[in-house]
Amino acid sequence: EVQLLESGGDLVQPGGSLRLSCAASGLTFSNYAMSWVRQAPGKGLEWVSTITASGGSRYYADSVKGRFTISRDNSKNTFYLQINSLSAEDTAVYYCAKGMYSGTYYFDYWGQGTLVTVSS
Amino acid sequence: DIQMTQSPSSLSASVGDRVTITCRASQGIANFLAWYQQKPGKVPQLLISAATTVQSGVPSRFSGSGSGTDFTLTISSLQPEDVATYYCQKYNSAPLTFGGGTKVEIK
C-alpha cells in the first residue's frame, strides 16, 4: 500500500523559511514523479510543484517560482519542498502527492497534509 | 496559461438525483483531465483520469465524459456519502491547474 507522510509544517513569521518533507513507502519511489499541492483554509486545491522521477526536471506554479525549491533523495524515499520568503498567502495545508505520468501528471495517492501558517 | 472553470460552484440535490458537474478549459487539452473528490475534512481522492477512466474502487455511479475543452462528471444516483467538493485538473502540460471546485450537498 502506498503511503505518503508529510512533515515540517509550522507557524512561521512573514519572510521566514521552512522545509517540508514527504516520506514515501509502498512503492518504487525512484520510478515516480512527486508533487506538492496546497489548499488555503476554506479554498480550493492549488498545484505548487512537481519533480520528475530522476529529479532531472522540476516544475513550479508561477505563484511560487523563485521562492520554492523542490528536491528529492531517492536513496531515502523522500522528497522536499524548501519554501522561502513566506507571506500570509502561503498559509495552507501542503499535500504531497504521487504523480501518474500521462502528458504531465495527475495524482493517484495523496498524503494527509502538513499545515503551514504564516503569521506574525 | 490554460484556465479551468467549473460550474456550478455549488449544488444541492436529493438522494437518488442525477448530478452533473461541468469543467471547461480555456484551450483544448485533449483528454488530459482528472477528477477528484474531497470529502469534508479529508484528503482529495482520484476518481477519474483521462477524462473517462474511472479508478478502481470508485462506485459505478460516477462517470466522466468529454474531450477538448468541455468535460463532465456525472453522479448517476446521488448518495449521502457523495457529499464532497469535486475538482477537475488538467495535465496536458504544466501548470497542472485545478478547477475552482464544486461543492455537492444533499437537499
Coordinates of all heavy atoms in Angstrom, one line a residue, chain A residues 23-71:
Chain A
A23 N 7.8 11.6 3.1 CA 8.4 10.2 3.1 C 7.4 9.3 2.5 O 6.3 9.2 2.9 CB 8.8 9.8 4.5
A24 N 7.9 8.5 1.5 CA 7.1 7.6 0.8 C 7.4 6.1 1.1 O 8.6 5.8 1.3 CB 7.2 7.8 -0.7
S25 N 6.4 5.3 1.1 CA 6.6 3.9 1.3 C 5.6 3.1 0.4 O 4.6 3.7 0.0 CB 6.5 3.5 2.7 OG 5.2 3.8 3.3
G26 N 5.8 1.8 0.2 CA 4.9 1.0 -0.5 C 5.0 1.2 -2.0 O 4.1 0.8 -2.8
L27 N 6.0 1.8 -2.5 CA 6.2 2.0 -4.0 C 7.7 2.0 -4.3 O 8.5 2.3 -3.4 CB 5.5 3.3 -4.4 CG 6.2 4.6 -4.1 CD1 5.6 5.8 -5.0 CD2 6.2 5.0 -2.7
T28 N 8.0 1.9 -5.6 CA 9.4 2.0 -6.0 C 9.6 3.5 -6.3 O 9.3 4.0 -7.4 CB 9.7 1.2 -7.3 OG1 9.4 -0.2 -7.0 CG2 11.2 1.3 -7.7
F29 N 10.0 4.2 -5.3 CA 10.0 5.7 -5.2 C 10.7 6.3 -6.4 O 10.2 7.3 -7.0 CB 10.6 6.2 -3.9 CG 10.6 7.7 -3.7 CD1 9.4 8.3 -3.5 CD2 11.8 8.4 -3.8 CE1 9.4 9.7 -3.3 CE2 11.8 9.8 -3.6 CZ 10.6 10.4 -3.4
S30 N 11.8 5.7 -6.8 CA 12.6 6.3 -7.9 C 12.0 6.2 -9.2 O 12.5 6.8 -10.2 CB 14.0 5.7 -7.9 OG 13.9 4.3 -8.1
N31 N 10.8 5.5 -9.3 CA 10.1 5.4 -10.6 C 9.1 6.5 -10.9 O 8.5 6.6 -12.0 CB 9.4 4.1 -10.7 CG 10.4 2.9 -11.0 OD1 11.6 3.1 -11.2 ND2 9.8 1.7 -10.9
Y32 N 8.8 7.3 -9.9 CA 7.7 8.2 -9.9 C 8.0 9.7 -9.7 O 8.8 10.0 -8.8 CB 6.6 7.8 -8.9 CG 6.0 6.4 -9.2 CD1 6.5 5.3 -8.5 CD2 5.1 6.2 -10.2 CE1 6.0 4.0 -8.8 CE2 4.6 5.0 -10.5 CZ 5.0 3.9 -9.8 OH 4.5 2.7 -10.1
A33 N 7.3 10.5 -10.5 CA 7.3 11.9 -10.2 C 6.5 12.2 -8.9 O 5.6 11.4 -8.6 CB 6.7 12.7 -11.4
M34 N 6.9 13.2 -8.2 CA 6.2 13.6 -7.0 C 5.9 15.0 -7.0 O 6.6 15.8 -7.6 CB 7.1 13.2 -5.8 CG 7.5 11.8 -5.7 SD 6.1 10.6 -5.6 CE 5.5 11.0 -4.0
S35 N 4.8 15.4 -6.3 CA 4.3 16.8 -6.4 C 3.9 17.3 -5.0 O 3.6 16.5 -4.1 CB 3.1 16.8 -7.3 OG 3.5 16.5 -8.6
W36 N 3.8 18.6 -5.0 CA 3.2 19.3 -3.8 C 1.9 20.0 -4.3 O 2.0 20.7 -5.4 CB 4.1 20.3 -3.2 CG 5.3 19.6 -2.5 CD1 6.5 19.3 -3.0 CD2 5.3 19.0 -1.2 NE1 7.3 18.7 -2.1 CE2 6.6 18.5 -0.9 CE3 4.3 19.0 -0.1 CZ2 6.9 17.9 0.3 CZ3 4.7 18.4 1.1 CH2 6.0 17.9 1.3
V37 N 0.9 19.9 -3.6 CA -0.4 20.6 -3.9 C -0.8 21.3 -2.5 O -0.7 20.6 -1.5 CB -1.5 19.7 -4.4 CG1 -2.8 20.4 -4.6 CG2 -1.0 19.0 -5.6
R38 N -1.2 22.5 -2.6 CA -1.6 23.2 -1.4 C -3.1 23.6 -1.4 O -3.7 23.7 -2.5 CB -0.7 24.3 -1.0 CG -0.9 25.5 -2.0 CD 0.1 26.6 -1.6 NE 0.0 27.8 -2.5 CZ 0.8 28.8 -2.4 NH1 1.8 28.9 -1.5 NH2 0.6 29.9 -3.2
Q39 N -3.6 23.8 -0.2 CA -5.0 24.2 0.0 C -5.1 25.2 1.1 O -4.9 24.9 2.3 CB -5.9 23.0 0.2 CG -7.4 23.3 0.2 CD -8.2 22.1 0.2 OE1 -7.9 21.1 0.8 NE2 -9.4 22.1 -0.5
A40 N -5.3 26.5 0.7 CA -5.5 27.5 1.7 C -6.8 27.3 2.5 O -7.7 26.6 2.0 CB -5.5 28.9 1.1
P41 N -6.9 27.7 3.7 CA -8.1 27.5 4.5 C -9.4 27.9 3.8 O -9.5 29.0 3.4 CB -7.9 28.3 5.8 CG -6.4 28.5 5.9 CD -5.9 28.5 4.5
G42 N -10.3 26.9 3.7 CA -11.6 27.2 3.0 C -11.5 27.4 1.5 O -12.5 27.8 0.9
K43 N -10.4 27.1 0.9 CA -10.2 27.4 -0.5 C -10.0 26.1 -1.3 O -10.0 25.0 -0.7 CB -9.0 28.3 -0.7 CG -9.1 29.7 0.0 CD -10.3 30.5 -0.5 CE -10.4 31.8 0.1 NZ -11.5 32.6 -0.4
G44 N -9.8 26.2 -2.6 CA -9.6 25.1 -3.4 C -8.2 24.6 -3.5 O -7.3 25.1 -2.8
L45 N -8.0 23.6 -4.3 CA -6.6 23.0 -4.5 C -5.8 23.8 -5.4 O -6.3 24.3 -6.5 CB -6.8 21.6 -5.0 CG -7.6 20.6 -4.2 CD1 -7.8 19.3 -4.9 CD2 -6.9 20.4 -2.8
E46 N -4.5 24.0 -5.1 CA -3.6 24.7 -6.0 C -2.3 23.8 -6.1 O -1.6 23.6 -5.2 CB -3.2 26.0 -5.4 CG -2.2 26.8 -6.2 CD -1.7 28.1 -5.6 OE1 -1.9 28.3 -4.3 OE2 -1.1 28.9 -6.3
W47 N -2.0 23.4 -7.4 CA -0.8 22.8 -7.7 C 0.4 23.7 -7.4 O 0.3 24.9 -7.8 CB -0.8 22.3 -9.1 CG 0.6 21.8 -9.5 CD1 1.2 20.6 -9.2 CD2 1.5 22.5 -10.4 NE1 2.4 20.5 -9.8 CE2 2.7 21.7 -10.5 CE3 1.5 23.7 -11.0 CZ2 3.8 22.0 -11.3 CZ3 2.6 24.1 -11.8 CH2 3.7 23.2 -11.9
V48 N 1.4 23.2 -6.7 CA 2.6 24.0 -6.4 C 3.8 23.6 -7.2 O 4.5 24.5 -7.8 CB 2.9 23.9 -4.9 CG1 4.2 24.5 -4.5 CG2 1.7 24.4 -4.0
S49 N 4.2 22.3 -7.2 CA 5.4 22.0 -7.8 C 5.5 20.5 -8.1 O 4.8 19.7 -7.4 CB 6.6 22.3 -6.9 OG 7.9 22.0 -7.5
T50 N 6.2 20.1 -9.1 CA 6.4 18.7 -9.4 C 7.9 18.4 -9.7 O 8.5 19.3 -10.4 CB 5.6 18.3 -10.6 OG1 4.2 18.3 -10.3 CG2 5.9 16.9 -11.1
I51 N 8.4 17.3 -9.3 CA 9.8 16.9 -9.6 C 9.7 15.5 -10.3 O 8.9 14.6 -9.8 CB 10.7 16.8 -8.4 CG1 12.1 16.6 -8.8 CG2 10.2 15.9 -7.3 CD1 13.1 16.8 -7.7
T52 N 10.4 15.3 -11.4 CA 10.3 14.1 -12.1 C 11.0 13.0 -11.3 O 11.7 13.2 -10.3 CB 10.9 14.2 -13.5 OG1 12.3 14.7 -13.4 CG2 10.1 15.1 -14.4
A53 N 10.9 11.7 -11.8 CA 11.4 10.6 -11.1 C 12.9 10.7 -10.8 O 13.4 10.4 -9.7 CB 11.1 9.3 -11.8
S54 N 13.7 11.1 -11.8 CA 15.1 11.2 -11.6 C 15.5 12.5 -10.9 O 16.7 12.6 -10.5 CB 15.8 11.1 -13.0 OG 15.5 12.3 -13.7
G55 N 14.6 13.4 -10.8 CA 15.0 14.7 -10.3 C 15.5 15.7 -11.3 O 15.8 16.8 -11.0
G56 N 15.5 15.2 -12.6 CA 16.1 16.0 -13.6 C 15.3 17.2 -14.1 O 15.9 18.1 -14.7
S57 N 14.0 17.1 -13.9 CA 13.1 18.2 -14.2 C 12.3 18.6 -13.1 O 11.8 17.8 -12.3 CB 12.3 17.9 -15.4 OG 13.0 17.7 -16.6
R58 N 12.0 19.9 -13.0 CA 11.2 20.5 -11.9 C 10.3 21.5 -12.5 O 10.7 22.3 -13.3 CB 12.1 21.1 -10.8 CG 13.2 20.1 -10.3 CD 14.2 20.8 -9.4 NE 15.4 20.0 -9.2 CZ 16.2 20.0 -8.1 NH1 15.9 20.9 -7.2 NH2 17.2 19.2 -8.1
Y59 N 9.1 21.5 -12.0 CA 8.1 22.5 -12.5 C 7.5 23.2 -11.3 O 7.3 22.6 -10.2 CB 7.0 21.7 -13.2 CG 7.5 20.8 -14.3 CD1 7.8 19.5 -14.1 CD2 7.7 21.3 -15.6 CE1 8.2 18.6 -15.1 CE2 8.1 20.5 -16.6 CZ 8.4 19.1 -16.3 OH 8.9 18.3 -17.3
Y60 N 7.2 24.5 -11.5 CA 6.6 25.3 -10.4 C 5.4 26.1 -10.9 O 5.4 26.6 -12.1 CB 7.7 26.2 -9.9 CG 8.9 25.6 -9.3 CD1 10.0 25.3 -10.1 CD2 8.9 25.2 -8.0 CE1 11.2 24.7 -9.5 CE2 10.0 24.5 -7.4 CZ 11.1 24.3 -8.2 OH 12.2 23.7 -7.6
A61 N 4.5 26.3 -10.0 CA 3.5 27.3 -10.3 C 4.1 28.7 -10.3 O 5.1 29.0 -9.5 CB 2.4 27.2 -9.2
D62 N 3.5 29.6 -11.1 CA 4.1 31.0 -11.1 C 4.0 31.6 -9.8 O 4.9 32.4 -9.4 CB 3.2 31.8 -12.1 CG 3.5 31.5 -13.5 OD1 4.5 30.8 -13.8 OD2 2.7 31.9 -14.4
S63 N 3.1 31.3 -8.9 CA 2.9 31.9 -7.6 C 4.0 31.6 -6.6 O 4.2 32.3 -5.6 CB 1.6 31.5 -7.0 OG 1.5 30.1 -6.9
V64 N 4.8 30.6 -6.9 CA 5.9 30.2 -6.0 C 7.3 30.2 -6.7 O 8.3 30.0 -6.0 CB 5.6 28.8 -5.4 CG1 4.2 28.8 -4.8 CG2 5.8 27.7 -6.4
K65 N 7.3 30.4 -8.0 CA 8.6 30.3 -8.7 C 9.6 31.3 -8.2 O 9.2 32.5 -7.9 CB 8.3 30.6 -10.2 CG 9.3 30.0 -11.1 CD 8.8 30.1 -12.6 CE 7.6 29.3 -12.9 NZ 7.2 29.4 -14.3
G66 N 10.8 30.9 -7.9 CA 11.8 31.7 -7.4 C 11.8 31.7 -5.8 O 12.8 32.2 -5.2
R67 N 10.8 31.3 -5.2 CA 10.7 31.2 -3.7 C 10.8 29.8 -3.2 O 11.2 29.5 -2.1 CB 9.5 31.9 -3.2 CG 9.4 33.4 -3.5 CD 8.2 34.0 -2.8 NE 7.0 33.4 -3.1 CZ 6.1 32.9 -2.2 NH1 6.4 32.8 -0.9 NH2 5.0 32.4 -2.6
F68 N 10.2 28.9 -4.0 CA 10.1 27.5 -3.5 C 11.1 26.6 -4.4 O 11.3 26.9 -5.6 CB 8.7 26.9 -3.7 CG 7.6 27.5 -2.8 CD1 7.8 28.7 -2.1 CD2 6.4 26.8 -2.7 CE1 6.9 29.1 -1.2 CE2 5.4 27.3 -1.8 CZ 5.6 28.5 -1.1
T69 N 11.6 25.6 -3.7 CA 12.5 24.7 -4.4 C 12.1 23.3 -4.1 O 12.1 22.9 -2.9 CB 14.0 24.9 -4.1 OG1 14.3 26.3 -4.4 CG2 14.9 24.0 -4.8
I70 N 11.8 22.5 -5.1 CA 11.5 21.0 -4.8 C 12.8 20.2 -5.1 O 13.6 20.5 -6.0 CB 10.4 20.6 -5.8 CG1 9.8 19.3 -5.3 CG2 10.8 20.6 -7.2 CD1 8.5 18.9 -6.0
S71 N 12.9 19.2 -4.3 CA 14.1 18.3 -4.4 C 13.7 16.9 -4.0 O 12.7 16.7 -3.3 CB 15.3 18.8 -3.7 OG 15.0 18.9 -2.3

